[in-house]
Amino acid sequence: MTARGVVAAGHVETARAAQIVLADGGNAFDAALAAMCAACVAEPVLSSLGGGGFLLAHDVSGRTVLFDFFVQTPRRSPTGELDFCPILADFGAAQQEFHIGFGSIATPGVVKGLFQVHRELGFMPLARIVEPAAALAREGVEINRFQAYLFQIIGPILSASKASRAVFHSPEDSSRLLGEGEIFRLPDFADALEALAREGADLFYRGEIARTIERDLGQNGGALTRDDLEAYRVEDRTPLELRYRGARLFMNPPPASGGILIAFALELLKDFEIHELGFGSAACLSLLARVMEQTNKARLESRFQEEAGGEAQLLEPELVEAYRRALRGRPSASRGTTQISVIDAEGNAASLTLSNGEGCGYLVPDTGIMLNNMLGEEDINPLGFHRWPPGIRMCSMMSPTLIFGPETRIAATGSGGSNRIRTAILQVLVDLLDFGMAVEEAVESPRIHFERGLLSVEPGFEERELAKLLAEFPEHRLWQERNLFFGGTHTAAFDAARGTFAGAGDSRRGGAVLMA
C-alpha cells in the first residue's frame, strides 16, 4: 500500500491526529490543522487556541504562502492598573523570567488561522478535522516524561488560578501537579472545538467566548478588549525565498524576525566551505558560533524590530558583506512553542509553528482554552513591557521553513525554543544541505547556541574538538543532556521521484513521526 504522507510533531498523539486525517483522505493542510488541535491537548504547555502561530504552505498548484496568525498588540495602550506578575521558569541549567496575568494577554490568532487555512486549502469538513482532538480531550492522554517536565518548569502558571489547578493538578491531591503516567483530560476543550466547527470563528471573536473574555479581562486588569478580538485578521504573506547549496528555501518573512535572521546567517555561510571542516570539528563549531554572533549583532545594530521596514536591510549585499568580512577576520580555529510538519503524497507541504508563550494562567471558562502571555515575553517585547505600538503584529522568532531540492526532494521543518529557534533551524539546514545528513541524523545531531557572549553546548561532540572550542570561548555552559533549550525541529521529508517519505521528531521536545 502506497503511503499517503508523513507527519513529524511534538507528541505521538499530535502526530496521530494528522495520521488519522491523512488516512481518511485529507490533505497535508487538513492533517496539519488536525494536529494543531490535538497538540492543544497532548502538548498543553506549548500549544493553545489562545495563542498565535504561522503556517507555511506549498500546494500542488505551486503556490507557496505564509499564513500569519500570530498574536497582536491591543489597539489601545493600557490606562489602569494591570494584572501582570513575574514567575521564574527553571530549566535546570538555566532560568528565565516570564510575566503572566490578565495584563500579559495579546490578541490571539490561532482560531482565525484554523478557519482561514481550512477555507483556502482544506479538503475535509472541519467537523471531521477536529474529531481526533475532541476524542483525545474527552478520553484523556497519558502524560509522558517530557510533558511532566514542562509542567514542573512552569508550575507557577499552571497553579495560578482555581480553574488552572482544576485542570492541571491531581484530582486526588489538588496541591500537586499531574505527573508522568497520569491522565490529562480536557472535556471542556472538546465541547469548544465542536462548537467552533459548527458555529465558526465568530464564536471566539464576536460571540459568547468573546463576551466572556471581555468581561473577565475588563474586571481583572487586562489590556485586551473585545474590539481587539473583532478587528483581528489573518495575513497571507509572500514567504521569504532564498537559495543555499542548490536548494530553494522558503521562510517566515517580516514582520517576524526568525526567517530573515536565518537567511542572514546562511548568506554569511555561503562563502565558507563548511563541509570541508567536518561536522563537530572545533573549526566548524567556531564558525557557526561566530555566525550566530554576527547575526545577533546585525539584529541589534539594524534596529529592525523598532523601525518599520528596517528588517529588509539585513539582506542588502553591502551589509551582508560587512559582517562576512568580520567573520573572515576571526581565527578559523574553528519557550513554549511546538512544530508540526506534514507532507502528503501529492506534494502538498505544511510547516506549522504554534505558541502560547507559557500561558497567562487564565482559562476561558467552559472552553479549556488558556490564553497567551505574549505581552509578558521579554524576547518579543524589545522596547520594554507595555511600550508596544498599538494594534500591530508582535515580532516572533518562529520560522516555519520549507526546503525544495536538490532534485525532487521536499522537506518541512521549524522549531520552538525562543531565541534558540533560529540557531536550531540553522544547524538542521547546515546538516542537511552542507553535510548531506539524512533527516533523522540532522535533527538528532548535537547543537550549540551562542548569544550575549555565552556559548551553550549540548553533549555529543568529540572531546578533543570540544576542548579546542572551549579554549576559544571561555564563557561557556556545558549541558549534561539534551534539552528543549536547544529547540525542537520536528521535520518531514518527501522524495517525489522515489515516492518515499522520511521524518524525525526531535527528542529534545518529545517528538514523534508517523506515516499514513
Side-chain angles (χ1 to χ4, degrees):
M1 182 177 175
T2 304
R4 292 193 53 83
V6 59
V7 55
H11 193 287
V12 67
E13 294 297 344
T14 302
R16 199 183 319 279
Q19 182 189 47
I20 290 169
V21 166
L22 284 171
D24 204 31
N27 62 24
F29 312 114
D30 297 323
L33 296 177
M36 180 177 78
C37 293
C40 297
V41 184
E43 307 170 60
V45 172
L46 306 178
S47 314
S48 174
L49 295 189
F54 305 90
L55 190 147
L56 181 56
H58 177 83
D59 67 16
V60 291
S61 73
R63 178 192 184 207
T64 306
V65 61
L66 187 284
F67 293 89
D68 176 349
F69 46 93
F70 196 53
V71 299
Q72 190 149 306
T73 62
R75 293 160 58 118
R76 290 189 293 274
S77 298
T79 54
E81 184 175 349
L82 292 175
D83 176 45
F84 192 76
C85 59
I87 69 103
L88 192 66
D90 188 350
F91 293 88
Q95 289 77 40
Q96 189 168 358
E97 185 178 83
F98 303 108
H99 287 74
I100 65 169
F102 290 96
S104 70
I105 302 168
T107 312
V110 174
V111 173
K112 274 281 179 75
L114 169 68
F115 280 88
Q116 184 150 328
V117 172
H118 179 257
R119 184 168 56 250
E120 293 193 25
L121 295 174
F123 175 74
M124 294 177 68
L126 191 58
R128 177 70 186 101
I129 289 171
V130 304
E131 274 184 16
L136 187 66
R138 287 198 176 97
E139 295 166 9
V141 58
E142 183 175 314
I143 298 173
N144 61 24
R145 180 173 300 178
F146 177 66
Q147 293 301 318
Y149 171 60
L150 290 179
F151 279 24
Q152 292 297 322
I153 288 175
I154 64 160
I157 299 175
L158 304 184
S159 306
S161 67
K162 182 178 179 181
S164 63
R165 290 191 296 274
V167 170
F168 294 101
H169 282 227
S170 167
E172 289 80 27
D173 181 1
S174 60
S175 67
R176 180 178 63 79
L177 286 164
L178 288 167
E180 183 180 359
E182 295 186 283
I183 303 299
F184 175 73
R185 292 184 175 86
L186 209 54
D188 285 348
F189 182 69
D191 295 340
L193 268 182
E194 291 167 349
L196 284 166
R198 287 192 308 270
E199 301 181 35
D202 276 357
L203 175 64
F204 189 94
Y205 291 91
R206 296 174 181 271
E208 182 180 352
I209 295 176
R211 288 192 293 273
T212 301
I213 293 172
E214 178 183 45
R215 179 199 69 205
D216 289 353
L217 269 63
Q219 293 175 355
N220 294 285
L224 188 70
T225 69
R226 191 172 172 186
D227 287 344
D228 298 313
L229 293 169
E230 291 184 356
Y232 186 87
R233 300 289 182 271
V234 176
E235 300 288 345
D236 289 11
R237 302 192 191 278
T238 300
L240 180 66
E241 181 179 355
L242 65 148
R243 292 186 177 273
Y244 183 77
R245 309 304 192 212
R248 291 174 68 206
L249 279 64
F250 293 90
M251 296 179 182
N252 198 1
S257 58
I260 201 153
L261 290 170
I262 297 167
F264 181 84
L266 291 172
E267 287 292 332
L268 292 181
L269 281 172
K270 278 184 178 178
D271 276 3
F272 297 89
E273 300 297 332
I274 191 170
H275 67 279
E276 294 182 357
L277 302 178
F279 175 81
S281 69
C284 172
L285 296 174
S286 177
L287 175 59
L288 285 172
R290 297 304 182 189
V291 165
M292 295 173 191
E293 177 185 43
Q294 293 299 314
T295 302
N296 201 50
K297 185 178 178 184
R299 173 196 179 202
L300 297 174
E301 291 183 354
S302 68
R303 299 175 63 84
F304 71 86
Q305 293 190 82
E306 302 175 28
E307 299 175 4
E311 55 276 292
Q313 301 170 8
L314 273 181
L315 295 185
E316 291 178 358
E318 295 82 2
L319 184 64
V320 172
E321 179 57 27
Y323 285 96
R324 192 182 283 138
R325 282 197 301 270
L327 279 177
R328 290 195 192 106
R330 295 283 181 177
S332 63
S334 72
R335 136 175 31 180
T337 307
T338 197
Q339 170 68 23
I340 297 164
S341 301
V342 188
I343 305 176
D344 66 29
E346 300 299 317
N348 295 303
S351 177
L352 190 160
T353 314
L354 183 69
S355 179
N356 199 38
E358 292 71 40
C360 70
Y362 163 72
L363 283 87
V364 182
D366 303 318
T367 69
I369 299 172
M370 183 179 286
L371 297 187
N372 68 83
N373 70 322
M374 296 295 191
L375 299 182
E377 287 267 6
E378 182 181 2
D379 293 341
I380 55 176
N381 288 274
L383 300 179
F385 295 127
H386 314 308
R387 296 178 62 191
W388 27 261
I392 66 166
R393 283 294 197 273
M394 298 191 76
C395 187
S396 172
M397 284 292 173
M398 293 192 286
S399 185
T401 299
L402 296 177
I403 307 153
F404 293 86
E407 301 173 349
T408 59
R409 288 172 287 177
I410 307 171
T413 192
S415 183
S418 189
N419 278 348
R420 283 84 61 196
I421 287 173
R422 67 182 188 270
T423 58
I425 296 173
L426 172 66
Q427 288 169 93
V428 167
L429 293 175
V430 167
D431 290 348
L432 290 171
L433 299 174
D434 285 286
F435 292 111
M437 293 183 186
V439 169
E440 186 171 2
E441 184 183 7
V443 167
E444 291 301 321
S445 290
R447 296 178 192 149
I448 63 171
H449 177 75
F450 187 77
E451 187 175 9
R452 297 177 182 176
L454 177 66
L455 179 70
S456 296
V457 184
E458 276 194 307
F461 294 109
E462 199 273 325
E463 288 188 10
R464 174 193 278 178
E465 297 300 319
L466 184 59
K468 295 179 190 176
L469 179 71
L470 299 184
E472 185 182 349
F473 295 88
E475 295 293 324
H476 57 258
R477 174 183 293 141
L478 299 180
W479 291 67
Q480 298 305 306
E481 57 186 19
R482 301 285 180 88
N483 191 278
L484 78 163
F485 179 87
F486 292 90
T489 54
H490 313 309
T491 303
F494 177 52
D495 188 326
R498 296 177 175 83
T500 56
F501 292 96
D506 196 325
S507 63
R508 298 168 183 84
R509 291 189 173 227
V513 60
L514 293 175
M515 308 289 175

